[in-house]
Amino acid sequence: MATQNDNGIRSFTFASAITANTLVSVSGTNAAQAASTGASAIGVVQNDTAAGNQGAVKLFFPSQFGIVAAAGIVTAGSSVFAVTNGTIVGTLAASAATLGVAINSGVAGDVVEYVPKFNQL
C-alpha cells in the first residue's frame, strides 16, 4: 500500500546538478530536473544537489494517489486525468479532469503517486 506524503517534502533523484531554490519538474520515476516551464513545476528543490544524488523538494501541494484505469497507462512526468469511474489515465479522455503530474509510471490497476498541478489554482 502506498503512503501519502502530507508533509510536503519529497526526495527525488537528479541526473544533473541543481542549485537550491530552483523550480523543478518530474523527469522520470522518482526523478526530477529544473523545470523547463512554469506550468510543469511541482515544487522547489531545498538544497544544492550533485548529479546523480537525491535532493529534497518542497512540493507546492501534498502528493495524492490514484488507481490507473483498466487498459490505461500512466508515464512518470506526464499529466494524469480523472475519469468517471474514479480512476486515473495518462491521456486526456472525454469528460476527464486534469489532476496533476505523475511521479511514477503504472499500468492498469497500479497505484500511481501524483502531485496536483500548480496551475490548477
Side-chain angles (χ1 to χ4, degrees):
M1 182 77 175
T3 303
Q4 187 165 319
N5 177 355
D6 284 328
N7 69 4
I9 295 188
R10 191 178 190 294
S11 293
F12 289 91
T13 300
F14 290 86
S16 300
I18 191 165
T19 304
N21 304 312
T22 301
L23 291 172
V24 299
S25 62
V26 175
S27 63
T29 297
N30 300 314
Q33 64 188 9
S36 58
T37 67
S40 67
I42 62 163
V44 178
V45 67
Q46 299 297 292
N47 49 313
D48 292 340
T49 305
N53 289 343
Q54 288 196 338
V57 174
K58 174 76 172 156
L59 303 173
F60 294 133
F61 304 102
S63 66
Q64 304 293 322
F65 291 88
I67 298 172
V68 180
I73 295 175
V74 171
T75 303
S78 65
S79 293
V80 294
F81 306 91
V83 292
T84 55
N85 63 0
T87 57
I88 62 173
V89 293
T91 55
L92 183 59
S95 302
T98 304
L99 292 176
V101 176
I103 292 176
N104 59 292
S105 299
V107 295
D110 287 349
V111 175
V112 171
E113 184 178 11
Y114 66 90
V115 178
K117 282 192 131 178
F118 185 61
N119 61 355
Q120 294 295 314
L121 295 176

